[in-house]
Amino acid sequence: MRTIASSREYAGTYRAGYAEMTDRATYDRAETLAEIAPSETVTAPLLSGVEGRFCTPPLHEPPVSYLEPAESPAFVLSNAKRGVGLGSKRNTVAPSRDHETVVLVTGRRTLCLVGQGSTDRVIEIPHESIADTSYRTGFRAHRLALTTPQNIYHCWVTRKTDEDLLAAVTAFIEDRQGQTPESVGEDGTVMYRGLPMRQQSAKEEPTASGEKQTVMYRGLPVDDGE
């Protein structure tokens, strides 16, 4: 059993070991952002790019390096294989074999970082451009769906992610997203800021993937079975 003194010494050694593996200034900034973040998903090792499933870092560059100087993450989500679906869940920007996907949710945008062969693919979704936010849980993986007039972004998340966390992330983005779209015309076209909003067709919904249809909108379950 560790004493208080030995625990502190162990924690200091552990933290110093991580810092030695990355740039000190980068780690210091990551540590500061982790301390002020409202969610425990934001950690210094993850933001500094050290924490990952493999021997190599999850990304080519530390996730913290993609943040603006005054920007801080409220939540961090991740997945190792699926990446981000663009328009369709199957049209994915996937990480390479040795890298992962890290999703940073800040006060003004969702930043999807996908580690690929020689660089990181950066997909930015400003909250003000989002017309709808929802999440779904599944047996293989969960996902956060962000809808803009031009596209739907399916941010895949490891199935180990708690549903309460997904609900908190959804509510956080909803509080900052754009105006509520309105249906116009007899064809039911949904307009947002003067543009038709792309909607996912029923044929794109999973049939045998084991994905549970838990759809949330503004904190309430939505029945999308029809």
Side-chain angles (χ1 to χ4, degrees), residues 11-82:
T13 303
Y14 176 82
R15 188 167 57 184
Y18 268 123
E20 289 176 0
M21 296 176 66
T22 188
D23 179 76
R24 169 60 66 176
T26 298
Y27 189 87
D28 287 346
R29 184 189 178 197
E31 190 172 44
T32 298
L33 293 179
E35 290 175 352
I36 65 175
S39 170
E40 294 181 353
T41 60
V42 184
T43 67
L46 195 154
L47 288 180
S48 61
V50 177
E51 184 178 273
R53 298 192 311 117
F54 309 105
C55 295
T56 55
L59 301 171
H60 293 278
E61 299 294 334
V64 69
S65 67
Y66 292 99
L67 297 171
E68 297 295 335
E71 188 176 23
S72 60
F75 301 93
V76 176
L77 304 173
S78 65
N79 72 78
K81 298 179 180 180
R82 292 178 177 257

Side-chain angles (χ1 to χ4, degrees), residues 125-215:
I125 314 159
H127 295 330
E128 64 178 11
S129 69
I130 296 174
D132 183 65
T133 308
S134 63
Y135 74 84
R136 287 180 172 86
T137 60
F139 293 112
R140 293 193 179 96
H142 308 325
R143 62 187 168 92
L144 183 69
L146 306 178
T147 303
T148 71
Q150 294 81 16
N151 214 340
I152 301 177
Y153 299 88
H154 301 277
C155 306
W156 289 99
V157 183
T158 174
R159 64 183 179 86
K160 296 181 180 180
T161 305
D162 190 83
E163 186 171 352
D164 289 341
L165 174 60
L166 293 175
V169 173
T170 299
F172 180 86
I173 296 175
E174 284 179 342
D175 288 342
R176 293 159 177 80
Q177 71 184 38
Q179 302 172 3
T180 303
E182 297 180 356
S183 295
V184 297
E186 296 181 357
D187 61 354
T189 301
V190 179
M191 304 297 292
Y192 177 74
R193 295 188 176 180
L195 297 173
M197 189 177 74
R198 176 185 163 93
Q199 294 179 294
Q200 183 171 334
S201 62
K203 66 179 180 181
E204 291 178 343
E205 290 303 314
T207 56
S209 64
E211 192 173 8
K212 186 176 69 176
Q213 299 302 300
T214 304
V215 187

